[in-house]
Amino acid sequence: MTATAGYYLLPAGTVLASMTYNTIGLIFGLLILVAVRWHRPARPWAWILFGTGMILSVVGDFTWWYLEHIRQEEPYPSVADVFYLASYPPLIAGLFLLQRNRGRDLGGLIDAAMVATGLGLVLWVFVLHPVAAVDAASMLERAVSTAYPSLDALLLAMVARLLIDRRVRTPSTDLLGMAAVLLLVADVAFSVASLYFDYEGRAMDWGWLLAYVLWAAAALHPSMAADTPVVSGPGRVSRGRLVILGLCSVLAPVLLVIPSVGADTVDRVVIAAGAAVLFVLGVARMAVVMAKVRGQAVELERLANQDDLTGLHNRRHFYRALGEALVGSRPQVVLLGLNRLRAINDELGHLAGDDVIVQIADRIRALAGPDALVARLSGDEFAVLVRDAPEGGADAVAGLLAGAVHDPVDTRGYEVLVGAGIGVAGGADAAGPAEVLRRAGVAMFAAKQSGEPYRRWAPGLDERSVEEARLGAQIRHALAERQFQVVYQPIVVMPEQRVAAVEALVRWHHPRLGTVSPAQFIPVAERNGLIVELGAWILQTACEQLVRWTVELGPDAPDRVSVNVSARQLARPGFAGTVADVLARTGLPAYRLTVEVTETAVFDGGPAVTALHELRALGVRIALDDFGTGHSSLGLLQNVPVDILKIDKSFVDRITEAGRHAVIAEAMIQVSNGLGLDAVAEGVETAEQAQALTRLGYRLLQGYHFGRPAAEPEFARIRVARGLTVPGAAALS
Ligand code: C2E
Ligand code: CA
Ligand code: CA
């Protein structure tokens, strides 16, 4: 700046003034090249071209000065113009390079073309055409003087593009834009001045000089290093841009209004052509905008119908597709709900949970086949829409899926078992999509409860779920109304048949329904959570009872009481504390209490197993109920503290027949002996079974043969029956 200002202080036309001018230009041109080394911009070639352009221009200046002052020749047109004109292509090319790959912004390109056409028209009318029309001028002179504004128009298009898009602006591009605009203004001013006013001065020099300075400043600014961001999304059209485009579009008619312009035929033709080009560009611009809007609509549609995590369709899309399929065909829905996702999230974190979901989604996608539509309906629910399959065709899919989700999932070094319930619905009388999904949901729920691989919806299932809701409400009521009772079933020691323990079993005396089996209401109470309250009451009652018997019967009282504890109770934090409280309140020593849990309750590990360890620490004994029916992994016995195995009734039932049941029962007593555990055989109904079990080595037996569950079992009479060939146990109950 100082240098530029200083230049004007020098006497006009002196050698010193010209030299200063040229030196300033040269220095700034070289500065750009230095800046390239310095900032290492993303697009060095653009800047090298700028520097080259400026140096060429300076060479032009020098030639001009040489011709004018040394050779005393007329410098215009001359070799100097060759250098001047040669300086434009690098500048234009540099600006083009700088803006390449800007996300294929076709709209921006059209906008720039519109600006260039509009301003080009003005240039033509006021500069190009008049210059071309000057009779005195030679052909060469005319050609040269039209070449400048034409190159300026090209430069203008590039600058327009640079400035029009606000998204790619940095301080550096702003400076660049200002420099280019200044260059244009100076060029045009020079042409106009020399054309209309026969001007020969150097007032325009300031413009060119300042342009050099700004150009160099743009190169020196640190922001030049930043690559202009690649914009892929549709850019917003700013209001400023709209105003500029609007002005350019109306330029043609406005020009025609000017009297001298409107009168000239050539001008009118050029303006008409310009107007036509502007019109076409305008239409093209609209098409680009429309295409962008359409693209956005497609993207929005995709986002609205897709599940982010898995890339599967989402509920909204599934619902609509199901609705459409229901018109005219009989689609079927396979609904799959994961079992253990919550636990996985809690234990391994949400990233693991997400990973499991993605892997399961991949399995489902792979198995469902290319024609099926797979969706993730909610956090842990997936659905497959089976179109145009024969009735029952979805069952094949359901079977495949059941197999696939059964395999463990490998996540972050853990092998986790997820498990799922699968429901199938649809077909003949399929109602609306909501109803089909509801039916599939009911079936899935039923499958989860029964542990079947999958379940197809049937009207009976609905009744069951309505029934369940009613039962839930009644259990709540029954707790308050004290309709529950605890009964006790003897567990005897063979061969003397002394009652070593009793198992506490709950009964519900419903005022209208009579006695409801725990097999009916315990699962419901487990699902609605009432088991926690009910279970605490049972535990308290059973402990109180054993204390009372001890006081009343002395040595005839059973040593221990077994209380069933469901998975839900066990997994609740503080369960061991509840047990300790009950023991303290009732005064029952911990060793006289046994807690019966099923394999399934502890198979998943987690809080249930922790609770068992805490109970063990209290001195409470732990029995594994229904042993042999669940996952039956002996590995379980390594992690879970167990004192007693209760061999399930199903093995006892056929113990007298020669077959695998007897073999398994024998293996089980050997395992429990080997591990130092007690084994109790459940559901012994006959003397033959009792004998067979005793022969195999079972010492503890339980079943109707020895006594049915009762409020007050007759402990003494069982002992009296000892030694009888046929104990006639049924008569005891
Ligand atoms: P469980 O723990 O396996 O209990 C044994 C069931 O087998 C009892 O049925 C019992 O009455 C029955 N049983 C005993 N001996 C024989 C026999 O010789 N033959 C036959 N056919 N059955 C026999 P119950 O009392 O109906 O209980 C069913 C299930 O309900 C229990 O199975 C247990 O899982 C659950 N349950 C019962 N009471 C409670 C309780 O207080 N709390 C919890 N959480 N669950 C309970
Ligand atoms: Ca039991
Ligand atoms: Ca059992």
Side-chain angles (χ1 to χ4, degrees):
M1 288 294 175
T2 328
T4 316
Y7 165 66
Y8 282 94
L9 297 176
L10 296 169
T14 61
V15 176
L16 188 61
S18 300
M19 275 303 145
T20 313
Y21 179 90
N22 289 341
T23 315
I24 294 170
L26 194 64
I27 288 172
F28 284 114
L30 290 172
L31 265 181
I32 293 182
L33 299 181
V34 171
V36 171
R37 293 228 51 171
W38 202 359
H39 289 314
R40 305 200 165 274
R43 294 162 197 258
W45 277 107
W47 297 94
I48 290 171
L49 283 169
F50 293 152
T52 313
M54 268 175 67
I55 290 166
L56 278 170
S57 169
V58 172
V59 173
D61 281 335
F62 182 80
T63 317
W64 179 290
W65 171 83
Y66 175 79
L67 291 176
E68 191 174 27
H69 292 98
I70 308 295
R71 298 281 298 271
Q72 303 283 329
E73 283 175 15
E74 167 60 42
Y76 185 78
S78 72
V79 203
D81 290 302
V82 175
F83 289 112
Y84 283 140
L85 290 173
S87 76
Y88 281 83
L91 292 184
I92 292 166
L95 283 170
F96 178 78
L97 273 184
L98 203 62
Q99 302 175 73
R100 235 179 51 183
N101 300 339
R102 268 186 13 200
R104 291 227 186 98
D105 183 13
L106 189 59
L109 213 62
I110 295 178
D111 291 349
M114 284 176 81
V115 172
T117 312
L119 293 184
L121 269 184
V122 177
L123 270 179
W124 164 264
V125 168
F126 294 108
V127 185
L128 292 177
H129 190 205
V131 166
V134 174
D135 292 334
S138 69
M139 244 337 250
L140 185 68
E141 212 170 320
R142 270 195 248 166
V144 171
S145 45
T146 45
Y148 282 110
S150 310
L151 284 167
D152 280 339
L154 262 177
L155 189 64
L156 182 80
M158 288 302 141
V159 174
R161 210 176 150 221
L162 185 71
L163 295 187
I164 215 161
D165 199 335
R166 306 192 134 260
R167 293 169 301 168
V168 295
R169 278 174 70 176
T170 63
S172 173
T173 58
D174 279 350
L175 286 167
L176 213 59
M178 281 181 341
V181 166
L182 214 60
L183 193 65
L184 280 175
V185 170
D187 278 358
V188 170
F190 180 77
S191 294
V192 170
S194 49
L195 182 72
Y196 292 100
F197 309 106
D198 210 14
Y199 168 81
E200 297 258 323
R202 47 165 215 175
M204 287 351 139
D205 287 359
W206 65 264
W208 286 309
L209 252 192
L210 207 56
Y212 291 159
V213 176
L214 289 173
W215 215 293
L220 291 171
H221 196 279
S223 65
M224 72 88 88
D227 194 4
T228 48
V230 174
V231 190
S232 52
R236 270 194 39 216
V237 177
S238 69
R239 200 181 310 172
R241 194 200 280 212
L242 276 183
V243 170
I244 293 175
L245 292 180
L247 284 177
C248 289
S249 311
V250 295
L251 265 178
V254 167
L255 284 175
L256 285 177
V257 175
I258 300 168
S260 64
V261 175
D264 188 291
T265 325
V266 181
D267 273 354
R268 281 219 304 276
V269 170
V270 170
I271 290 171
V277 168
L278 278 171
F279 180 78
V280 170
L281 285 173
V283 170
R285 187 67 176 96
M286 238 142 66
V288 167
V289 170
M290 292 303 291
K292 265 184 188 164
V293 170
R294 252 198 310 277
Q296 276 170 316
V298 168
E299 177 70 5
L300 267 180
E301 169 91 1
R302 192 185 65 75
L303 286 177
N305 289 309
Q306 201 186 52
D307 172 52
D308 287 341
L309 181 62
T310 59
L312 295 176
H313 297 291
N314 63 10
R315 174 177 279 273
R316 178 208 305 265
H317 183 82
F318 189 83
Y319 198 88
R320 207 178 41 215
L322 176 57
E324 284 162 8
L326 279 166
V327 181
S329 75
R330 291 174 174 184
Q332 298 170 69
V333 169
V334 180
L335 187 68
L336 183 149
L338 301 180
N339 284 339
R340 291 202 59 240
L341 192 64
R342 218 91 140 262
I344 292 168
N345 279 331
D346 288 349
E347 287 161 30
L348 300 179
H350 282 268
L351 287 178
D354 284 356
D355 187 31
V356 167
I357 290 172
V358 169
Q359 291 193 44
I360 296 281
D362 289 342
R363 290 185 191 176
I364 297 175
R365 207 184 338 234
L367 286 177
D371 297 336
L373 187 134
V374 183
R376 179 168 172 232
L377 300 190
S378 66
D380 56 2
E381 269 182 17
F382 296 89
V384 180
L385 177 62
V386 184
R387 285 178 274 230
D388 306 323
E391 184 89 348
D395 291 58
V397 176
L400 281 175
L401 293 188
V405 290
H406 196 75
D407 294 340
V409 175
D410 212 334
T411 179
R412 345 195 103 208
Y414 293 93
E415 287 233 310
V416 290
L417 282 170
V418 196
I422 299 177
V424 182
D429 67 332
E435 174 62 11
V436 175
L437 276 178
R438 188 195 68 77
R439 289 177 182 181
V442 169
M444 176 190 86
F445 196 60
K448 273 193 183 186
Q449 282 167 24
S450 61
E452 294 159 280
Y454 69 91
R455 185 82 182 243
R456 182 173 264 282
W457 179 84
L461 281 183
D462 277 350
E463 285 156 29
R464 214 178 296 178
S465 54
V466 169
E467 176 68 15
E468 170 153 342
R470 199 166 43 223
L471 208 58
Q474 287 178 340
I475 293 172
R476 202 178 297 275
H477 183 68
L479 259 171
E481 295 292 310
R482 304 183 156 273
Q483 292 172 1
F484 291 107
Q485 185 200 10
V486 179
V487 292
Y488 304 88
Q489 184 175 34
I491 299 169
V492 302
V493 190
M494 296 304 280
E496 62 268 34
Q497 298 191 14
R498 186 178 66 84
V499 180
V502 286
E503 176 176 2
L505 296 158
V506 69
R507 293 290 174 265
W508 179 8
H509 302 292
H510 193 279
R512 204 161 29 81
L513 301 175
T515 303
V516 184
S517 156
Q520 268 183 314
F521 67 83
I522 290 288
V524 178
E526 282 184 354
R527 284 194 288 275
N528 66 20
L530 280 170
I531 190 68
V532 174
E533 207 177 322
L534 182 60
W537 176 81
I538 294 167
L539 186 70
Q540 166 93 18
T541 309
C543 293
E544 276 171 1
Q545 183 59 259
L546 186 56
V547 171
R548 197 173 309 134
W549 279 327
T550 310
V551 171
E552 290 171 3
L553 305 174
D556 282 345
D559 300 335
R560 302 189 157 92
V561 64
S562 259
V563 177
N564 292 284
V565 170
S566 74
R568 185 103 177 230
Q569 278 174 283
L570 203 60
R572 234 177 111 98
F575 178 70
T578 311
V579 174
D581 285 350
V582 169
L583 291 173
R585 259 204 307 276
T586 57
L588 186 75
Y591 75 89
R592 298 187 68 185
L593 175 67
T594 301
V595 159
E596 290 194 10
V597 295
T598 57
E599 283 174 288
T600 25
V602 291
F603 184 76
D604 291 344
V609 172
T610 312
L612 288 185
H613 281 287
E614 290 168 358
L615 288 173
R616 207 7 150 39
L618 286 176
V620 173
R621 284 159 56 97
I622 291 147
L624 210 50
D625 207 350
D626 304 343
F627 189 72
T629 58
H631 300 274
S632 266
S633 76
L634 287 172
L636 190 71
L637 298 174
Q638 291 179 339
N639 309 319
V640 179
V642 174
D643 304 286
I644 302 159
L645 294 180
K646 296 196 76 173
I647 312 304
D648 191 69
K649 184 178 183 301
S650 53
F651 301 102
V652 174
D653 280 344
R654 303 173 68 183
I655 195 85
T656 49
E657 306 163 19
R660 51 186 280 267
H661 284 88
V663 175
I664 294 173
E666 187 174 0
M668 287 203 281
I669 185 71
Q670 280 163 5
V671 165
S672 56
N673 285 342
L675 293 172
L677 306 176
D678 282 344
V680 176
E682 290 188 297
V684 182
E685 291 182 342
T686 67
E688 290 74 35
Q689 286 171 346
Q691 269 167 13
L693 287 162
T694 314
R695 252 202 315 277
L696 286 178
Y698 285 89
R699 297 246 307 135
L700 296 165
L701 306 182
Q702 176 186 3
Y704 292 169
H705 175 65
F706 302 102
R708 288 186 178 253
E712 290 283 342
E714 297 181 50
F715 307 114
R717 274 188 59 187
I718 297 174
R719 290 177 63 178
V720 168
R722 176 173 44 154
L724 295 182
T725 37
V726 181
L732 291 172
S733 61

